[in-house]
Amino acid sequence: MASTITTNSIHSPSNASRLSSLYLSRNRISPNNVLFKTPSQSLLATKAKRFAFSPFPENRKSLVAKTLSFPGWTQQIRLTSSVVVKAAADAEGHAEPAKSFGERFPALVTGFFFFTWYFLNVIFNILNKKVYNYFPYPYFVSVVHLLVGVVYCLVSWGVGLPKRAPIDKELLALLTPVAFCHALGHVMSNVSFAAVAVSFTHTIKALEPFFSAAASQFVLGHQIPLSLWLSLAPVVIGVSVASLTELSFNWTGFISAMISNIAFTYRSIYSKKAMTGMDSTNVYAYISIIALLVCIPPAVLIEGPQLMQHGFRDAIAKVGLVKFLSDLFWIGMFYHLYNQVATNTLERVAPLTHAVGNVLKRVFVIGFSIVVFGNRISTQTGIGTAIAIAGVAIYSLIKANMEEQNRKADITHAS
């Protein structure tokens, strides 16, 4: 039986209708891989256009010895392979998923986390200090901060954003000391904010990398190089100079800021450990709940009597009930949001890097607080603050270089 191959179709007097039932179509299989064998000839279709046999999977894997036989034909069509890898993988459902934006640009996403953290923190510090100007009760305000955050977490869990992660006794025992450090650091920070200028509190808290490095070496057993210790010397010197000449200096503000440094250092270290089996959002939610329970007793004992006698009454008389309540709500909301973002950022970086970012954040807070509140600072305080920030910059460069060398060493070791 004669058969004819053209550039557009395959013709056979007796089998045209049968071929059409196989959904023969164009633009799939290379003609170089279709071989027609007849009793008298073997013809390689090199000029024909591409065809596709839709009953077969689009698979680049060899389909060796797959034979199509048609009644009335003595030809055999032998398929060997001819479909691109991506199409084959898609057809079989084994295609590698496309990388997300965060996977393609991790540094950009981390930078966005830091920027959002800074922005929310600046707003919180400004509003918080404005409240202390007419309502100087830091223990009670600390409770309000946490209470608003806990309500926010409960509502988020209620709508499933995020889904609440279950907690067991082991994880609760791990989170409790973290929450205690969080509560202590939070209350002490607010005591300092209420006692001295915001800029001075954040200058003192610039010492956090020093405490973080000390804890990493002496508590966690991580060896901190001498060069990194030396880079922290300007930070210590700068803070000391700024403290000696600060116009708003008092010991309550200074000591409470130092205690908050220690507390937040331990919080960062143990929060990192607690993220093993739970996402950072749920971790911070549970920490907030526990911390709230820790903060309520001292607030009631220390400030409760004063608040009941004249604290609430004086604040309402100065700004009105609506503004008083709205101010408390918004500082609580911004406090929770900036800490949530800070926790998410900690999940992406090492504790020491997080501490450095925390110090750089204070540059923004100090600058904005001076502009907004018109705080007067002496020349020596300005110089001391500049020295401290310069020390942080040196520390950041050395730390970044160390992390890059460790990364390259890990890659070399893995290969």
Side-chain angles (χ1 to χ4, degrees):
M1 181 185 300
S3 61
T4 303
I5 301 178
T6 70
T7 59
N8 295 321
S9 60
I10 297 178
H11 299 284
S12 173
S14 62
N15 295 290
S17 62
R18 295 184 183 183
L19 282 172
S20 63
S21 67
L22 291 173
Y23 309 103
L24 206 58
S25 60
R26 303 178 186 178
N27 306 324
R28 294 291 182 178
I29 296 181
S30 172
N32 294 329
N33 295 320
V34 181
L35 184 64
F36 293 81
K37 294 182 180 179
T38 67
S40 61
Q41 63 178 352
S42 294
L43 179 62
L44 183 64
T46 59
K47 301 297 182 181
K49 290 186 177 181
R50 292 184 176 184
F51 297 95
F53 295 87
S54 61
F56 285 88
E58 295 181 2
N59 197 336
R60 189 173 176 84
K61 296 179 180 179
S62 281
L63 299 176
V64 180
K66 287 278 185 180
T67 304
L68 295 179
S69 298
F70 303 99
W73 285 59
T74 57
Q75 297 97 327
Q76 291 181 328
I77 300 177
R78 192 179 193 79
L79 303 179
T80 57
S81 170
S82 64
V83 184
V84 289
V85 175
K86 188 176 187 341
D90 289 341
E92 294 184 355
H94 298 305
E96 293 185 2
K99 289 185 177 180
S100 65
F101 182 85
E103 292 173 331
R104 288 183 294 161
F105 307 101
L108 187 61
V109 174
T110 301
F112 174 76
F113 271 93
F114 273 101
F115 171 79
T116 305
W117 175 23
Y118 292 3
F119 176 75
L120 293 173
N121 190 260
V122 166
I123 296 178
F124 162 75
N125 277 276
I126 291 174
L127 294 180
N128 202 47
K129 186 60 178 181
K130 287 184 175 180
V131 169
Y132 284 135
N133 287 338
Y134 68 84
F135 188 69
Y137 297 94
Y139 288 87
F140 177 79
V141 172
S142 298
V143 170
V144 172
H145 292 163
L146 293 170
L147 178 62
V148 173
V150 167
V151 173
Y152 177 91
C153 293
L154 295 177
V155 172
S156 299
W157 279 341
V159 299
L161 295 172
K163 183 178 180 181
R164 186 183 71 84
I167 186 172
D168 53 25
K169 292 182 179 179
E170 182 179 354
L171 187 56
L172 180 61
L174 186 62
L175 290 180
T176 298
V178 179
F180 177 81
C181 292
H182 179 69
L184 178 61
H186 177 49
V187 171
M188 290 297 100
S189 293
N190 278 288
V191 170
S192 182
F193 286 141
V196 297
V198 172
S199 58
F200 178 61
T201 298
H202 282 283
T203 300
I204 300 301
K205 289 171 73 64
L207 286 171
E208 188 173 330
F210 175 83
F211 289 100
S212 181
S216 294
Q217 176 154 336
F218 300 114
V219 177
L220 298 181
H222 299 164
Q223 187 63 36
I224 304 298
L226 178 61
S227 59
L228 208 58
W229 281 113
L230 293 177
S231 70
L232 291 171
V235 181
V236 177
I237 295 172
V239 171
S240 300
V241 172
S243 300
L244 291 174
T245 57
E246 172 59 36
L247 299 177
S248 66
F249 178 87
N250 65 56
W251 284 106
T252 300
F254 178 82
I255 294 175
S256 58
M258 293 293 284
I259 294 174
S260 72
N261 277 337
I262 299 172
F264 284 143
T265 294
Y266 280 92
R267 181 195 66 177
S268 295
I269 292 174
Y270 291 113
S271 289
K272 195 74 173 180
K273 289 184 175 181
M275 288 179 185
T276 303
M278 184 183 295
D279 64 279
S280 60
T281 301
N282 275 288
V283 167
Y284 183 66
Y286 283 118
I287 288 175
S288 296
I289 294 172
I290 301 171
L292 175 61
L293 299 177
V294 173
C295 287
I296 289 176
V300 172
L301 294 174
I302 296 173
E303 296 179 343
Q306 300 177 45
L307 288 171
M308 298 304 296
Q309 290 176 8
H310 56 82
F312 293 125
R313 184 178 65 252
D314 292 346
I316 295 173
K318 291 178 181 178
V319 299
L321 178 61
V322 174
K323 179 172 175 53
F324 177 55
L325 294 178
S326 64
D327 283 350
L328 291 178
F329 170 78
W330 283 114
I331 60 174
M333 181 60 69
F334 280 113
Y335 171 78
H336 176 81
L337 291 177
Y338 103 71
N339 273 284
Q340 179 61 72
V341 175
T343 305
N344 295 142
T345 306
L346 174 60
E347 189 178 38
R348 304 179 64 87
V349 298
L352 281 173
T353 303
H354 186 266
V356 173
N358 204 19
V359 172
L360 294 178
K361 171 204 67 180
R362 303 192 193 289
V363 177
F364 291 87
V365 176
I366 290 171
F368 276 101
S369 66
I370 291 174
V371 172
V372 173
F373 297 108
N375 295 336
R376 293 185 301 111
I377 60 173
S378 65
T379 302
Q380 291 85 348
T381 298
I383 294 174
T385 301
I387 293 174
I389 299 305
V392 171
I394 296 172
Y395 175 92
S396 301
L397 291 174
I398 295 177
K399 180 61 180 176
N401 184 56
M402 290 173 52
E403 290 179 347
E404 180 64 18
Q405 290 179 352
N406 291 337
R407 185 186 67 82
K408 291 181 179 180
D410 290 340
I411 294 176
T412 303
H413 179 72
S415 60

